[in-house]
PDB file of all heavy atoms in Angstrom:
ATOM      1  N   GLY I 302     -23.687  48.252 -37.132  1.00  0.00           N
ATOM      2  CA  GLY I 302     -24.308  49.142 -38.103  1.00  0.00           C
ATOM      3  C   GLY I 302     -23.289  50.097 -38.697  1.00  0.00           C
ATOM      4  O   GLY I 302     -22.080  49.966 -38.470  1.00  0.00           O
ATOM      5  N   ALA I 303     -23.776  51.069 -39.492  1.00  0.00           N
ATOM      6  CA  ALA I 303     -22.872  51.988 -40.199  1.00  0.00           C
ATOM      7  C   ALA I 303     -21.947  52.692 -39.220  1.00  0.00           C
ATOM      8  O   ALA I 303     -22.395  53.240 -38.210  1.00  0.00           O
ATOM      9  CB  ALA I 303     -23.691  53.013 -40.981  1.00  0.00           C
ATOM     10  N   MET I 304     -20.665  52.678 -39.536  1.00  0.00           N
ATOM     11  CA  MET I 304     -19.698  53.265 -38.606  1.00  0.00           C
ATOM     12  C   MET I 304     -19.554  54.761 -38.836  1.00  0.00           C
ATOM     13  O   MET I 304     -19.824  55.275 -39.916  1.00  0.00           O
ATOM     14  CB  MET I 304     -18.340  52.589 -38.760  1.00  0.00           C
ATOM     15  CG  MET I 304     -17.744  52.715 -40.124  1.00  0.00           C
ATOM     16  SD  MET I 304     -16.203  51.797 -40.226  1.00  0.00           S
ATOM     17  CE  MET I 304     -15.757  52.159 -41.929  1.00  0.00           C
ATOM     18  N   SER I 305     -19.071  55.450 -37.814  1.00  0.00           N
ATOM     19  CA  SER I 305     -18.834  56.891 -37.888  1.00  0.00           C
ATOM     20  C   SER I 305     -17.439  57.154 -38.438  1.00  0.00           C
ATOM     21  O   SER I 305     -16.636  56.240 -38.623  1.00  0.00           O
ATOM     22  CB  SER I 305     -18.978  57.525 -36.509  1.00  0.00           C
ATOM     23  OG  SER I 305     -20.269  57.316 -36.014  1.00  0.00           O
ATOM     24  N   ILE I 306     -17.149  58.430 -38.618  1.00  0.00           N
ATOM     25  CA  ILE I 306     -15.914  58.818 -39.304  1.00  0.00           C
ATOM     26  C   ILE I 306     -14.653  58.363 -38.574  1.00  0.00           C
ATOM     27  O   ILE I 306     -13.658  58.037 -39.198  1.00  0.00           O
ATOM     28  CB  ILE I 306     -15.887  60.353 -39.511  1.00  0.00           C
ATOM     29  CG1 ILE I 306     -14.584  60.775 -40.203  1.00  0.00           C
ATOM     30  CG2 ILE I 306     -16.104  61.113 -38.214  1.00  0.00           C
ATOM     31  CD1 ILE I 306     -14.558  62.217 -40.600  1.00  0.00           C
ATOM     32  N   PHE I 307     -14.667  58.318 -37.242  1.00  0.00           N
ATOM     33  CA  PHE I 307     -13.433  58.033 -36.521  1.00  0.00           C
ATOM     34  C   PHE I 307     -13.310  56.576 -36.052  1.00  0.00           C
ATOM     35  O   PHE I 307     -12.412  56.256 -35.284  1.00  0.00           O
ATOM     36  CB  PHE I 307     -13.304  58.976 -35.319  1.00  0.00           C
ATOM     37  CG  PHE I 307     -13.301  60.432 -35.699  1.00  0.00           C
ATOM     38  CD1 PHE I 307     -14.230  61.308 -35.179  1.00  0.00           C
ATOM     39  CD2 PHE I 307     -12.365  60.922 -36.611  1.00  0.00           C
ATOM     40  CE1 PHE I 307     -14.245  62.644 -35.544  1.00  0.00           C
ATOM     41  CE2 PHE I 307     -12.362  62.259 -36.990  1.00  0.00           C
ATOM     42  CZ  PHE I 307     -13.317  63.129 -36.447  1.00  0.00           C
ATOM     43  N   SER I 308     -14.199  55.712 -36.516  1.00  0.00           N
ATOM     44  CA  SER I 308     -14.136  54.310 -36.090  1.00  0.00           C
ATOM     45  C   SER I 308     -12.832  53.666 -36.567  1.00  0.00           C
ATOM     46  O   SER I 308     -12.171  52.948 -35.806  1.00  0.00           O
ATOM     47  CB  SER I 308     -15.344  53.541 -36.625  1.00  0.00           C
ATOM     48  OG  SER I 308     -16.545  54.135 -36.193  1.00  0.00           O
ATOM     49  N   GLY I 309     -12.486  53.884 -37.822  1.00  0.00           N
ATOM     50  CA  GLY I 309     -11.253  53.303 -38.355  1.00  0.00           C
ATOM     51  C   GLY I 309     -10.029  53.815 -37.629  1.00  0.00           C
ATOM     52  O   GLY I 309      -9.117  53.048 -37.282  1.00  0.00           O
ATOM     53  N   GLN I 310      -9.994  55.132 -37.358  1.00  0.00           N
ATOM     54  CA  GLN I 310      -8.845  55.704 -36.630  1.00  0.00           C
ATOM     55  C   GLN I 310      -8.749  55.128 -35.219  1.00  0.00           C
ATOM     56  O   GLN I 310      -7.652  54.902 -34.699  1.00  0.00           O
ATOM     57  CB  GLN I 310      -8.959  57.222 -36.563  1.00  0.00           C
ATOM     58  CG  GLN I 310      -8.502  57.926 -37.839  1.00  0.00           C
ATOM     59  CD  GLN I 310      -9.636  58.137 -38.815  1.00  0.00           C
ATOM     60  OE1 GLN I 310     -10.689  57.513 -38.696  1.00  0.00           O
ATOM     61  NE2 GLN I 310      -9.436  58.994 -39.802  1.00  0.00           N
ATOM     62  N   SER I 311      -9.900  54.890 -34.585  1.00  0.00           N
ATOM     63  CA  SER I 311      -9.902  54.344 -33.218  1.00  0.00           C
ATOM     64  C   SER I 311      -9.360  52.918 -33.202  1.00  0.00           C
ATOM     65  O   SER I 311      -8.580  52.539 -32.317  1.00  0.00           O
ATOM     66  CB  SER I 311     -11.328  54.374 -32.655  1.00  0.00           C
ATOM     67  OG  SER I 311     -11.823  55.682 -32.628  1.00  0.00           O
ATOM     68  N   TYR I 312      -9.771  52.136 -34.181  1.00  0.00           N
ATOM     69  CA  TYR I 312      -9.283  50.750 -34.295  1.00  0.00           C
ATOM     70  C   TYR I 312      -7.769  50.759 -34.544  1.00  0.00           C
ATOM     71  O   TYR I 312      -7.017  50.036 -33.886  1.00  0.00           O
ATOM     72  CB  TYR I 312     -10.028  50.071 -35.441  1.00  0.00           C
ATOM     73  CG  TYR I 312      -9.622  48.654 -35.741  1.00  0.00           C
ATOM     74  CD1 TYR I 312     -10.164  47.587 -35.016  1.00  0.00           C
ATOM     75  CD2 TYR I 312      -8.732  48.372 -36.770  1.00  0.00           C
ATOM     76  CE1 TYR I 312      -9.807  46.278 -35.316  1.00  0.00           C
ATOM     77  CE2 TYR I 312      -8.369  47.076 -37.073  1.00  0.00           C
ATOM     78  CZ  TYR I 312      -8.918  46.031 -36.344  1.00  0.00           C
ATOM     79  OH  TYR I 312      -8.566  44.736 -36.648  1.00  0.00           O
ATOM     80  N   GLU I 313      -7.348  51.609 -35.468  1.00  0.00           N
ATOM     81  CA  GLU I 313      -5.916  51.677 -35.807  1.00  0.00           C
ATOM     82  C   GLU I 313      -5.084  52.119 -34.602  1.00  0.00           C
ATOM     83  O   GLU I 313      -4.027  51.550 -34.321  1.00  0.00           O
ATOM     84  CB  GLU I 313      -5.719  52.663 -36.956  1.00  0.00           C
ATOM     85  CG  GLU I 313      -4.312  52.651 -37.553  1.00  0.00           C
ATOM     86  CD  GLU I 313      -4.183  51.692 -38.716  1.00  0.00           C
ATOM     87  OE1 GLU I 313      -4.673  50.549 -38.588  1.00  0.00           O
ATOM     88  OE2 GLU I 313      -3.607  52.074 -39.751  1.00  0.00           O
ATOM     89  N   ALA I 314      -5.546  53.146 -33.901  1.00  0.00           N
ATOM     90  CA  ALA I 314      -4.802  53.646 -32.745  1.00  0.00           C
ATOM     91  C   ALA I 314      -4.662  52.558 -31.680  1.00  0.00           C
ATOM     92  O   ALA I 314      -3.603  52.421 -31.054  1.00  0.00           O
ATOM     93  CB  ALA I 314      -5.510  54.869 -32.163  1.00  0.00           C
ATOM     94  N   THR I 315      -5.717  51.789 -31.475  1.00  0.00           N
ATOM     95  CA  THR I 315      -5.674  50.719 -30.468  1.00  0.00           C
ATOM     96  C   THR I 315      -4.686  49.630 -30.887  1.00  0.00           C
ATOM     97  O   THR I 315      -3.921  49.116 -30.061  1.00  0.00           O
ATOM     98  CB  THR I 315      -7.071  50.110 -30.271  1.00  0.00           C
ATOM     99  OG1 THR I 315      -8.017  51.162 -30.063  1.00  0.00           O
ATOM    100  CG2 THR I 315      -7.091  49.181 -29.069  1.00  0.00           C
ATOM    101  N   LYS I 316      -4.703  49.277 -32.164  1.00  0.00           N
ATOM    102  CA  LYS I 316      -3.771  48.251 -32.649  1.00  0.00           C
ATOM    103  C   LYS I 316      -2.318  48.723 -32.484  1.00  0.00           C
ATOM    104  O   LYS I 316      -1.438  47.928 -32.121  1.00  0.00           O
ATOM    105  CB  LYS I 316      -4.062  47.939 -34.115  1.00  0.00           C
ATOM    106  CG  LYS I 316      -5.454  47.383 -34.387  1.00  0.00           C
ATOM    107  CD  LYS I 316      -5.578  45.917 -34.055  1.00  0.00           C
ATOM    108  CE  LYS I 316      -5.112  45.082 -35.197  1.00  0.00           C
ATOM    109  NZ  LYS I 316      -5.428  43.642 -34.968  1.00  0.00           N
ATOM    110  N   ILE I 317      -2.088  50.004 -32.760  1.00  0.00           N
ATOM    111  CA  ILE I 317      -0.728  50.549 -32.601  1.00  0.00           C
ATOM    112  C   ILE I 317      -0.300  50.494 -31.134  1.00  0.00           C
ATOM    113  O   ILE I 317       0.822  50.109 -30.808  1.00  0.00           O
ATOM    114  CB  ILE I 317      -0.672  51.991 -33.135  1.00  0.00           C
ATOM    115  CG1 ILE I 317      -0.802  51.995 -34.667  1.00  0.00           C
ATOM    116  CG2 ILE I 317       0.622  52.694 -32.706  1.00  0.00           C
ATOM    117  CD1 ILE I 317      -0.973  53.377 -35.270  1.00  0.00           C
ATOM    118  N   LEU I 318      -1.211  50.864 -30.232  1.00  0.00           N
ATOM    119  CA  LEU I 318      -0.894  50.831 -28.802  1.00  0.00           C
ATOM    120  C   LEU I 318      -0.604  49.403 -28.330  1.00  0.00           C
ATOM    121  O   LEU I 318       0.347  49.174 -27.569  1.00  0.00           O
ATOM    122  CB  LEU I 318      -2.047  51.433 -27.996  1.00  0.00           C
ATOM    123  CG  LEU I 318      -1.902  51.410 -26.477  1.00  0.00           C
ATOM    124  CD1 LEU I 318      -0.623  52.128 -26.031  1.00  0.00           C
ATOM    125  CD2 LEU I 318      -3.122  52.050 -25.809  1.00  0.00           C
TER     126      LEU I 318
END
Side-chain angles (χ1 to χ4, degrees):
M304 60 184 181
S305 300
I306 179 172
F307 301 123
S308 303
Q310 279 91 344
S311 301
Y312 178 84
E313 190 92 315
T315 310
K316 299 281 275 189
I317 290 171
L318 177 57

